[in-house]
């Protein structure tokens, strides 16, 4: 009877999106590396549908060596060309370069004793913010502020719209629609 549940509008009809909505989207993510991976994938999603990224996610994980920042930070021009030749992922030189830059920025934060998860969750006092329940927001004050902070730390391809979508996906902002069965179910426990 899963189809009888009222979901956010974007997850009403497509089984792939329903599963993502029901099992992942909006669930608070507290693991630093997992948060970072989702940020990178949200960057690759820019201009495309999230469904496209979901279908390619395993290929991305393989191509980017499990999204281990220490590996990606060492990528060189040969690695960029290898990734550009991989038809299983989104092939964008600017997005690949951003992933490399963001791995370096992530590691630089670690070197300075700044945990990525703590940094992100501190922006919302360690509790998910509730969106307005309309499901229509593409930006937020928190997303705008975090975008600026990420750029200040050397991240790239982290504009306010990308960051807001990432905050929604990782449960930092609970943006399930008011009628969605998950809006009041999602807790701060996360993964």
């Amino acid at each position: 009877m899963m189809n009888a549940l009222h979901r956010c509008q974007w997850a009403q009809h497509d089984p792939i999106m329903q599963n993502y909505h029901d099992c992942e989207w909006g669930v608070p993510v507290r693991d630093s590396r997992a948060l970072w991976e989702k940020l990178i994938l949200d960057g690759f999603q820019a201009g495309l549908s999230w469904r496209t990224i979901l279908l390619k996610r395993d290929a991305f994980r393989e191509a980017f060596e499990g999204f281990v920042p220490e590996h990606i930070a060492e990528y060189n021009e040969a690695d960029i060309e290898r990734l550009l030749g991989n038809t299983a992922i989104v092939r964008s030189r600017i997005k690949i370069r951003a992933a490399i830059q963001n791995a370096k920025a992530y590691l630089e934060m670690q070197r300075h004793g700044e945990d990525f998860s703590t940094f992100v969750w501190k922006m919302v006092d360690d509790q998910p913010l509730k969106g307005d329940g309309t499901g229509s927001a593409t930006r937020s004050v928190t997303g705008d502020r975090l975008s600026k902070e990420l750029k200040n730390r050397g991240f790239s391809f982290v504009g306010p719209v990308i960051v807001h979508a990432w905050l929604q996906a990782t449960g930092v902002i609970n943006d399930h629609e008011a009628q969605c069965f998950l809006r009041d179910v999602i807790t701060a426990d996360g993964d």
Side-chain angles (χ1 to χ4, degrees):
M1 286 311 309
M2 280 184 57
N3 287 337
L5 298 173
H6 186 86
R7 294 176 175 84
C8 295
Q9 189 64 34
W10 59 266
Q12 294 276 334
H13 305 290
D14 181 343
I16 291 170
M17 296 304 283
Q18 284 178 357
N19 184 61
Y20 174 67
H21 173 272
D22 294 358
C23 300
E24 290 185 62
W25 192 80
V27 174
V29 175
R30 304 255 179 194
D31 177 79
S32 290
R33 205 237 22 103
L35 273 169
W36 180 79
E37 174 184 329
K38 286 191 175 199
L39 178 61
I40 300 309
L41 288 172
D42 264 303
F44 274 97
Q45 183 267 331
L48 305 169
S49 76
W50 182 249
R51 187 178 196 281
T52 299
I53 301 303
L54 276 180
L55 293 173
K56 294 177 178 283
R57 184 165 56 178
D58 288 340
F60 269 108
R61 286 176 174 158
E62 183 178 332
F64 281 90
E65 301 179 83
F67 283 103
V68 176
E70 291 82 357
H71 295 168
I72 297 170
E74 298 297 321
Y75 282 5
N76 57 30
E77 287 303 316
D79 293 300
I80 293 169
E81 293 305 316
R82 171 183 58 82
L83 291 166
L84 286 171
N86 186 336
T87 59
I89 66 169
V90 173
R91 297 175 293 167
S92 164
R93 188 176 299 276
I94 193 168
K95 292 176 182 182
I96 292 168
R97 287 190 186 284
I100 297 166
Q101 177 58 39
N102 293 345
K104 292 175 182 177
Y106 175 91
L107 294 172
E108 191 63 23
M109 286 177 70
Q110 281 187 336
R111 276 191 282 282
H112 287 95
E114 190 170 26
D115 177 73
F116 193 64
S117 179
T118 302
F119 160 73
V120 171
W121 282 95
K122 192 161 86 174
M123 294 281 176
V124 293
D125 294 328
D126 208 38
Q127 291 296 316
L129 294 178
K130 263 204 173 166
D132 64 9
T134 66
S136 62
T138 59
R139 286 181 72 164
S140 61
V141 171
T142 302
D144 289 359
R145 193 171 88 232
L146 191 50
S147 170
K148 183 178 179 183
E149 291 296 325
L150 286 165
K151 289 174 185 175
N152 286 342
R153 283 166 175 77
F155 285 78
S156 64
F157 220 76
V158 289
V161 174
I162 289 171
V163 170
H164 179 73
W166 170 59
L167 294 175
Q168 292 172 306
T170 57
V172 177
I173 296 177
N174 178 348
D175 243 352
H176 284 280
E177 294 171 14
Q179 302 82 12
C180 179
F181 79 99
L182 286 172
R183 182 164 174 84
D184 294 323
V185 173
I186 300 287
T187 66
D189 295 332
D191 48 323

